[in-house]
Amino acid sequence: TAVPVFCNSCFCEPRNPTQRFSLTSCGHVLCEICLQKGKKDECLVCRTACRTLVLSKQTSPDIQSLFMGVDVLCKKYSKEITQVSEFQEKHLKHLLAYHKQKIAKLEESLKKVTQQMRQLKRMKPPEKTTPLPFSSTSRNPFSIPSRKQNDYSSYSLHSSRPSTSEMMETMEIDPVPSPMRKLETPTGPTRLSVITPPQDGRMG
């Protein structure tokens, strides 16, 4: 049931359709007679500055809901709340579907890039190469030289650089120098002149 409308000053109720009630901005209801008794733009009940609005069937639903019963308001607003809830849920479902589609595309792109990276890794040569086995033609510091090289190397070693023992054997070592020994200085051959005196004006 609706809340009865009455004047907050004289507490009269509407008796005939022609009698009008007004609602002040401070939240009081005044009949037409009491409204004229008070000062203009001033509430007769609380004496504060206010504005007034005539109550009628043309009044906005928000103002009319102030005089409606709570049970009626519950039914009315529950229906509106349900409509709003369904609208918001549908709206959010569209947004969720968009994000799901976007995530699926990103996952597909990531999968393709991962496959490409794996293929590139397979095609890339290894960083560390294994050493090749020694071949007969390759240079090997530990390879056995040929017979010719052995002969040549032994010959060159014996001929050019004799061993220390050989040098000691060939050298005559006098551990105690003799004071009587004279140093011998090598003397070269006497100089010979092969030029004969000129004869008949010619050298010969």
Side-chain angles (χ1 to χ4, degrees), residues 41-59:
D41 299 331
E42 184 182 88
C43 180
L44 185 62
V45 178
C46 63
R47 305 296 179 179
T48 58
C50 63
R51 298 187 303 273
T52 59
L53 177 67
V54 179
L55 298 175
S56 65
K57 292 181 179 180
Q58 285 75 29
T59 308

PDB file of all heavy atoms in Angstrom, residues 41-59:
ATOM      1  N   ASP A  41       9.366  31.230  -0.506  1.00  0.00           N
ATOM      2  CA  ASP A  41      10.664  30.524  -0.539  1.00  0.00           C
ATOM      3  C   ASP A  41      11.199  30.226   0.860  1.00  0.00           C
ATOM      4  O   ASP A  41      12.417  30.222   1.081  1.00  0.00           O
ATOM      5  CB  ASP A  41      11.711  31.332  -1.335  1.00  0.00           C
ATOM      6  CG  ASP A  41      11.292  31.533  -2.782  1.00  0.00           C
ATOM      7  OD1 ASP A  41      10.570  30.668  -3.305  1.00  0.00           O
ATOM      8  OD2 ASP A  41      11.696  32.553  -3.390  1.00  0.00           O
ATOM      9  N   GLU A  42      10.244  29.954   1.786  1.00  0.00           N
ATOM     10  CA  GLU A  42      10.657  29.569   3.144  1.00  0.00           C
ATOM     11  C   GLU A  42       9.714  28.490   3.642  1.00  0.00           C
ATOM     12  O   GLU A  42       8.493  28.585   3.474  1.00  0.00           O
ATOM     13  CB  GLU A  42      10.618  30.761   4.086  1.00  0.00           C
ATOM     14  CG  GLU A  42      11.123  30.439   5.493  1.00  0.00           C
ATOM     15  CD  GLU A  42      11.037  31.625   6.426  1.00  0.00           C
ATOM     16  OE1 GLU A  42       9.981  31.810   7.049  1.00  0.00           O
ATOM     17  OE2 GLU A  42      12.027  32.386   6.501  1.00  0.00           O
ATOM     18  N   CYS A  43      10.282  27.428   4.242  1.00  0.00           N
ATOM     19  CA  CYS A  43       9.482  26.316   4.748  1.00  0.00           C
ATOM     20  C   CYS A  43       8.725  26.756   5.997  1.00  0.00           C
ATOM     21  O   CYS A  43       9.327  27.337   6.911  1.00  0.00           O
ATOM     22  CB  CYS A  43      10.378  25.128   5.041  1.00  0.00           C
ATOM     23  SG  CYS A  43       9.485  23.689   5.661  1.00  0.00           S
ATOM     24  N   LEU A  44       7.446  26.454   6.025  1.00  0.00           N
ATOM     25  CA  LEU A  44       6.628  26.813   7.185  1.00  0.00           C
ATOM     26  C   LEU A  44       6.936  25.937   8.393  1.00  0.00           C
ATOM     27  O   LEU A  44       6.724  26.346   9.531  1.00  0.00           O
ATOM     28  CB  LEU A  44       5.134  26.683   6.825  1.00  0.00           C
ATOM     29  CG  LEU A  44       4.102  27.122   7.859  1.00  0.00           C
ATOM     30  CD1 LEU A  44       4.244  28.619   8.173  1.00  0.00           C
ATOM     31  CD2 LEU A  44       2.696  26.808   7.375  1.00  0.00           C
ATOM     32  N   VAL A  45       7.504  24.753   8.160  1.00  0.00           N
ATOM     33  CA  VAL A  45       7.775  23.814   9.254  1.00  0.00           C
ATOM     34  C   VAL A  45       9.144  24.086   9.886  1.00  0.00           C
ATOM     35  O   VAL A  45       9.276  24.249  11.102  1.00  0.00           O
ATOM     36  CB  VAL A  45       7.677  22.367   8.755  1.00  0.00           C
ATOM     37  CG1 VAL A  45       8.003  21.379   9.869  1.00  0.00           C
ATOM     38  CG2 VAL A  45       6.310  22.105   8.168  1.00  0.00           C
ATOM     39  N   CYS A  46      10.189  24.112   9.077  1.00  0.00           N
ATOM     40  CA  CYS A  46      11.551  24.262   9.614  1.00  0.00           C
ATOM     41  C   CYS A  46      12.140  25.656   9.414  1.00  0.00           C
ATOM     42  O   CYS A  46      13.259  25.904   9.863  1.00  0.00           O
ATOM     43  CB  CYS A  46      12.465  23.211   9.006  1.00  0.00           C
ATOM     44  SG  CYS A  46      12.655  23.353   7.216  1.00  0.00           S
ATOM     45  N   ARG A  47      11.404  26.547   8.776  1.00  0.00           N
ATOM     46  CA  ARG A  47      11.814  27.946   8.578  1.00  0.00           C
ATOM     47  C   ARG A  47      13.148  28.078   7.831  1.00  0.00           C
ATOM     48  O   ARG A  47      13.913  29.010   8.061  1.00  0.00           O
ATOM     49  CB  ARG A  47      11.948  28.656   9.920  1.00  0.00           C
ATOM     50  CG  ARG A  47      10.708  28.606  10.804  1.00  0.00           C
ATOM     51  CD  ARG A  47       9.540  29.327  10.180  1.00  0.00           C
ATOM     52  NE  ARG A  47       8.342  29.248  11.038  1.00  0.00           N
ATOM     53  CZ  ARG A  47       7.190  29.834  10.711  1.00  0.00           C
ATOM     54  NH1 ARG A  47       7.050  30.506   9.574  1.00  0.00           N
ATOM     55  NH2 ARG A  47       6.142  29.731  11.527  1.00  0.00           N
ATOM     56  N   THR A  48      13.406  27.203   6.917  1.00  0.00           N
ATOM     57  CA  THR A  48      14.624  27.317   6.106  1.00  0.00           C
ATOM     58  C   THR A  48      14.250  27.648   4.677  1.00  0.00           C
ATOM     59  O   THR A  48      13.124  27.378   4.218  1.00  0.00           O
ATOM     60  CB  THR A  48      15.422  26.001   6.112  1.00  0.00           C
ATOM     61  OG1 THR A  48      14.602  24.934   5.628  1.00  0.00           O
ATOM     62  CG2 THR A  48      15.896  25.669   7.524  1.00  0.00           C
ATOM     63  N   ALA A  49      15.173  28.250   3.956  1.00  0.00           N
ATOM     64  CA  ALA A  49      14.943  28.576   2.549  1.00  0.00           C
ATOM     65  C   ALA A  49      14.803  27.280   1.760  1.00  0.00           C
ATOM     66  O   ALA A  49      15.549  26.317   1.965  1.00  0.00           O
ATOM     67  CB  ALA A  49      16.088  29.408   2.009  1.00  0.00           C
ATOM     68  N   CYS A  50      13.783  27.268   0.895  1.00  0.00           N
ATOM     69  CA  CYS A  50      13.524  26.030   0.146  1.00  0.00           C
ATOM     70  C   CYS A  50      12.822  26.342  -1.162  1.00  0.00           C
ATOM     71  O   CYS A  50      12.359  27.450  -1.403  1.00  0.00           O
ATOM     72  CB  CYS A  50      12.670  25.095   0.980  1.00  0.00           C
ATOM     73  SG  CYS A  50      11.028  25.762   1.359  1.00  0.00           S
ATOM     74  N   ARG A  51      12.746  25.314  -1.966  1.00  0.00           N
ATOM     75  CA  ARG A  51      11.966  25.372  -3.193  1.00  0.00           C
ATOM     76  C   ARG A  51      10.833  24.369  -3.059  1.00  0.00           C
ATOM     77  O   ARG A  51      10.939  23.400  -2.308  1.00  0.00           O
ATOM     78  CB  ARG A  51      12.846  25.026  -4.403  1.00  0.00           C
ATOM     79  CG  ARG A  51      14.003  25.996  -4.610  1.00  0.00           C
ATOM     80  CD  ARG A  51      14.715  25.682  -5.925  1.00  0.00           C
ATOM     81  NE  ARG A  51      15.183  24.303  -5.955  1.00  0.00           N
ATOM     82  CZ  ARG A  51      16.338  23.910  -5.478  1.00  0.00           C
ATOM     83  NH1 ARG A  51      17.136  24.782  -4.866  1.00  0.00           N
ATOM     84  NH2 ARG A  51      16.691  22.647  -5.575  1.00  0.00           N
ATOM     85  N   THR A  52       9.794  24.559  -3.815  1.00  0.00           N
ATOM     86  CA  THR A  52       8.616  23.693  -3.726  1.00  0.00           C
ATOM     87  C   THR A  52       8.303  23.069  -5.057  1.00  0.00           C
ATOM     88  O   THR A  52       8.624  23.626  -6.119  1.00  0.00           O
ATOM     89  CB  THR A  52       7.390  24.477  -3.230  1.00  0.00           C
ATOM     90  OG1 THR A  52       7.122  25.557  -4.121  1.00  0.00           O
ATOM     91  CG2 THR A  52       7.625  25.014  -1.822  1.00  0.00           C
ATOM     92  N   LEU A  53       7.656  21.872  -4.972  1.00  0.00           N
ATOM     93  CA  LEU A  53       7.260  21.131  -6.167  1.00  0.00           C
ATOM     94  C   LEU A  53       5.871  20.567  -5.929  1.00  0.00           C
ATOM     95  O   LEU A  53       5.631  19.891  -4.937  1.00  0.00           O
ATOM     96  CB  LEU A  53       8.244  19.995  -6.447  1.00  0.00           C
ATOM     97  CG  LEU A  53       7.921  19.081  -7.634  1.00  0.00           C
ATOM     98  CD1 LEU A  53       8.028  19.846  -8.945  1.00  0.00           C
ATOM     99  CD2 LEU A  53       8.834  17.871  -7.636  1.00  0.00           C
ATOM    100  N   VAL A  54       4.964  20.870  -6.857  1.00  0.00           N
ATOM    101  CA  VAL A  54       3.581  20.402  -6.728  1.00  0.00           C
ATOM    102  C   VAL A  54       3.517  18.920  -7.052  1.00  0.00           C
ATOM    103  O   VAL A  54       4.066  18.460  -8.074  1.00  0.00           O
ATOM    104  CB  VAL A  54       2.652  21.207  -7.655  1.00  0.00           C
ATOM    105  CG1 VAL A  54       1.214  20.693  -7.543  1.00  0.00           C
ATOM    106  CG2 VAL A  54       2.699  22.696  -7.329  1.00  0.00           C
ATOM    107  N   LEU A  55       2.851  18.161  -6.159  1.00  0.00           N
ATOM    108  CA  LEU A  55       2.700  16.721  -6.363  1.00  0.00           C
ATOM    109  C   LEU A  55       1.502  16.461  -7.256  1.00  0.00           C
ATOM    110  O   LEU A  55       0.403  16.958  -7.011  1.00  0.00           O
ATOM    111  CB  LEU A  55       2.514  16.016  -5.026  1.00  0.00           C
ATOM    112  CG  LEU A  55       3.680  16.132  -4.033  1.00  0.00           C
ATOM    113  CD1 LEU A  55       3.313  15.491  -2.692  1.00  0.00           C
ATOM    114  CD2 LEU A  55       4.935  15.501  -4.613  1.00  0.00           C
ATOM    115  N   SER A  56       1.718  15.623  -8.295  1.00  0.00           N
ATOM    116  CA  SER A  56       0.645  15.253  -9.229  1.00  0.00           C
ATOM    117  C   SER A  56       1.048  13.960  -9.924  1.00  0.00           C
ATOM    118  O   SER A  56       2.122  13.395  -9.666  1.00  0.00           O
ATOM    119  CB  SER A  56       0.417  16.378 -10.250  1.00  0.00           C
ATOM    120  OG  SER A  56       1.551  16.550 -11.083  1.00  0.00           O
ATOM    121  N   LYS A  57       0.171  13.517 -10.798  1.00  0.00           N
ATOM    122  CA  LYS A  57       0.468  12.304 -11.554  1.00  0.00           C
ATOM    123  C   LYS A  57       1.592  12.540 -12.562  1.00  0.00           C
ATOM    124  O   LYS A  57       2.180  11.563 -13.048  1.00  0.00           O
ATOM    125  CB  LYS A  57      -0.782  11.825 -12.271  1.00  0.00           C
ATOM    126  CG  LYS A  57      -1.869  11.319 -11.308  1.00  0.00           C
ATOM    127  CD  LYS A  57      -3.090  10.836 -12.074  1.00  0.00           C
ATOM    128  CE  LYS A  57      -4.180  10.299 -11.147  1.00  0.00           C
ATOM    129  NZ  LYS A  57      -5.375   9.827 -11.866  1.00  0.00           N
ATOM    130  N   GLN A  58       1.820  13.756 -12.907  1.00  0.00           N
ATOM    131  CA  GLN A  58       2.887  14.078 -13.851  1.00  0.00           C
ATOM    132  C   GLN A  58       4.256  14.230 -13.170  1.00  0.00           C
ATOM    133  O   GLN A  58       5.259  14.502 -13.829  1.00  0.00           O
ATOM    134  CB  GLN A  58       2.568  15.366 -14.610  1.00  0.00           C
ATOM    135  CG  GLN A  58       1.500  15.237 -15.685  1.00  0.00           C
ATOM    136  CD  GLN A  58       0.099  15.143 -15.081  1.00  0.00           C
ATOM    137  OE1 GLN A  58      -0.163  15.693 -13.974  1.00  0.00           O
ATOM    138  NE2 GLN A  58      -0.816  14.468 -15.776  1.00  0.00           N
ATOM    139  N   THR A  59       4.281  14.069 -11.862  1.00  0.00           N
ATOM    140  CA  THR A  59       5.557  14.179 -11.143  1.00  0.00           C
ATOM    141  C   THR A  59       6.478  13.036 -11.563  1.00  0.00           C
ATOM    142  O   THR A  59       6.020  11.941 -11.922  1.00  0.00           O
ATOM    143  CB  THR A  59       5.306  14.144  -9.628  1.00  0.00           C
ATOM    144  OG1 THR A  59       4.312  15.125  -9.284  1.00  0.00           O
ATOM    145  CG2 THR A  59       6.558  14.457  -8.859  1.00  0.00           C
TER     146      THR A  59
END
